[in-house]
Amino acid sequence: MRLIKKFLKFVLVIFVLALAGLAATLAYTEKCEGTPSAVEGGMTAAFAHCYGSADVITLEKVAIPQPADDEILVQVKAAAVNPLDYHEMRGSPYIMRLMRGIGKPERASLGADFSGVVVAVGDEVTNFKPGDEVFGGSRGAFAEYLTIRADRSIVRKPSNVSFAEAAAIPVAALTALQALVDHGELQTGERVLINGASGGVGTYTTQIATALGAEVSGVCSTRNVEMVKALGAKQVFDYKKENYTESGQKFDLIVDMVGNHSISANRDVLTDNGRLIIVGGPKGDWIAPLIYPIKALVTQPFVNQKIASFVARLKQDDLDTLANMMAEGKLTSQIDRTYPLEQIADAIRYSESGRARGKIIVAVGE
């Protein structure tokens, strides 16, 4: 018995040491080196060669990429900032570094959402041609040019939509659409509550839910109440004055971008077969951003209501759906601020502040 106890203590010590070693490895951040030499006649692009605040971002002259046989070369007109950008820039939460790179990012390019004009296509591309106005999602969007495979997340921009409005769409609106339809299983006539209705994802969630025939309630601060109503919400909870979890109302679906109420409190205002879809949560380098999704995973087997979190996927079919909604006037982008590419660091700082009402745009070639 004494031998077994010693063995278990030994295993525990090894486990703790291994965990500490993993934590130290993930938290390790290499120092930034000098900026690479500029390429004459190239394009301007934003990079973060090491993890850190927006101060690590550099604007560099690099070669214009050339499209492979199945790719498109796009001249970027506008790009949009997402929370994803500062998470990748900081490598936070640290678990992201298992994919982004230990110590420093393996890929230094920044940005995901873009709109622009096709300037060249590969020999195998038949569905796009030079001159097409497009938008989509691709790494390295904070640049004057980018390449993307023709069968990936890129579609034609509706003619009645500006480059800035289209650039704002991909990550945020895809997240909204997939939260409502793929995971929230929204049906016409259902009551939907959107916690964080005035943010980048929230403004699209409000509009899409309304377009799909839902009765929408939004949650936002005092200054954003009228905006959220204008987007289609029939009811708005001003979180500075009231708590929707104490309203006594019941909702078929809650899409939570904030994570400021417990799962049990949200369940209390869900119908018996209601769904809670978790999109966002608290900030933090370690466990804080994961606590809400973990609690959802643990809770789900014991309740009838659906409790789930997810990570949005860039899908061409979904982008087509969103493009059609924009063309029909059912979906518009709420743009808070626009920055030139030269001020990309300031744009990301503003995004990190959490004060944005809608989307932040980076004007590249307009």
Side-chain angles (χ1 to χ4, degrees):
M1 190 63 144
R2 188 177 298 174
L3 186 60
I4 293 175
K5 287 183 178 179
K6 286 184 177 180
F7 176 73
L8 292 176
K9 287 181 179 179
F10 174 76
V11 171
L12 180 60
V13 169
I14 294 299
F15 175 76
V16 171
L17 289 175
L19 194 61
L22 176 62
T25 299
L26 291 178
Y28 170 66
T29 301
E30 292 187 16
K31 292 182 178 180
C32 277
E33 299 177 353
T35 303
S37 301
V39 174
E40 289 188 15
M43 68 171 186
T44 301
F47 296 92
H49 294 284
C50 58
Y51 295 124
S53 70
D55 294 338
V56 305
I57 297 175
T58 58
L59 285 173
E60 301 167 21
K61 281 288 185 179
V62 297
I64 297 174
Q66 298 303 307
D69 288 343
D70 61 349
E71 290 183 333
I72 302 166
L73 175 64
V74 177
Q75 182 181 18
V76 178
K77 296 294 186 180
V81 177
N82 294 288
L84 172 67
D85 300 316
Y86 63 73
H87 285 303
E88 291 194 339
M89 176 188 74
R90 290 183 177 274
S92 174
Y94 291 145
I95 193 71
M96 291 182 65
R97 300 187 181 193
L98 291 174
M99 297 171 287
R100 287 278 292 160
I102 303 297
K104 65 178 181 180
E106 294 177 358
R107 293 187 60 172
S109 56
L110 294 171
D113 291 348
F114 72 89
S115 65
V117 179
V118 175
V119 293
V121 300
D123 293 339
E124 298 174 3
V125 176
T126 59
N127 53 337
F128 292 96
K129 65 183 185 303
D132 285 345
E133 296 183 346
V134 295
F135 73 101
S138 176
R139 287 190 177 276
F142 298 147
E144 292 178 317
Y145 293 87
L146 61 79
T147 55
I148 180 173
R149 278 176 48 176
D151 61 351
R152 293 297 175 88
S153 51
I154 180 170
V155 296
R156 286 178 177 80
K157 178 182 74 65
S159 59
N160 62 327
V161 175
S162 71
F163 285 112
E165 291 168 333
I169 287 286
V171 169
L174 282 173
T175 300
L177 180 66
Q178 292 168 17
L180 291 167
V181 178
D182 297 352
H183 302 277
E185 303 167 13
L186 178 63
Q187 302 296 315
T188 301
E190 288 190 320
R191 299 195 69 200
V192 178
L193 182 129
I194 300 161
N195 188 17
S198 62
V201 176
T203 53
Y204 292 123
T205 310
T206 302
Q207 293 177 81
I208 294 171
T210 300
L212 295 176
E215 182 181 325
V216 179
S217 295
V219 184
C220 63
S221 64
T222 307
R223 72 186 184 117
N224 295 321
V225 167
E226 293 306 316
M227 179 185 74
V228 173
K229 286 181 179 179
L231 294 176
K234 299 298 183 184
Q235 174 182 219
V236 180
F237 292 94
D238 178 349
Y239 70 77
K240 294 186 176 181
K241 300 177 181 178
E242 53 191 337
N243 184 342
Y244 72 86
T245 67
E246 299 173 353
S247 67
Q249 299 183 43
K250 293 286 186 178
F251 302 94
D252 300 293
L253 172 62
I254 296 175
V255 181
D256 191 356
M257 262 73 70
V258 184
N260 58 343
H261 296 288
S262 69
I263 288 176
S264 61
N266 276 311
R267 286 189 58 232
D268 286 343
V269 292
L270 279 177
T271 58
D272 291 341
N273 295 310
R275 290 86 67 197
L276 169 62
I277 306 301
I278 299 165
V279 176
K283 294 181 180 180
D285 291 330
W286 294 103
I287 194 67
L290 306 176
I291 289 177
Y292 208 15
I294 290 172
K295 286 182 177 179
L297 189 65
V298 172
T299 303
Q300 180 61 91
F302 303 100
V303 299
N304 291 327
Q305 296 150 320
K306 180 177 181 179
I307 315 293
S309 64
F310 76 103
V311 176
R313 296 172 55 203
L314 290 169
K315 296 164 61 177
Q316 197 170 51
D317 288 347
D318 284 350
L319 278 179
D320 267 326
T321 298
L322 297 170
N324 290 333
M325 292 182 72
M326 287 193 292
E328 295 168 2
K330 297 178 179 178
L331 187 66
T332 60
S333 295
Q334 304 301 305
I335 296 174
D336 184 339
R337 294 186 184 182
T338 300
Y339 294 82
L341 181 59
E342 292 73 22
Q343 295 177 17
I344 181 59
D346 290 334
I348 292 181
R349 288 188 188 97
Y350 182 53
S351 178
E352 282 196 278
S353 74
R355 298 194 302 269
R357 306 172 67 195
K359 294 292 294 182
I360 302 165
I361 298 299
V362 177
V364 181
E366 279 195 297

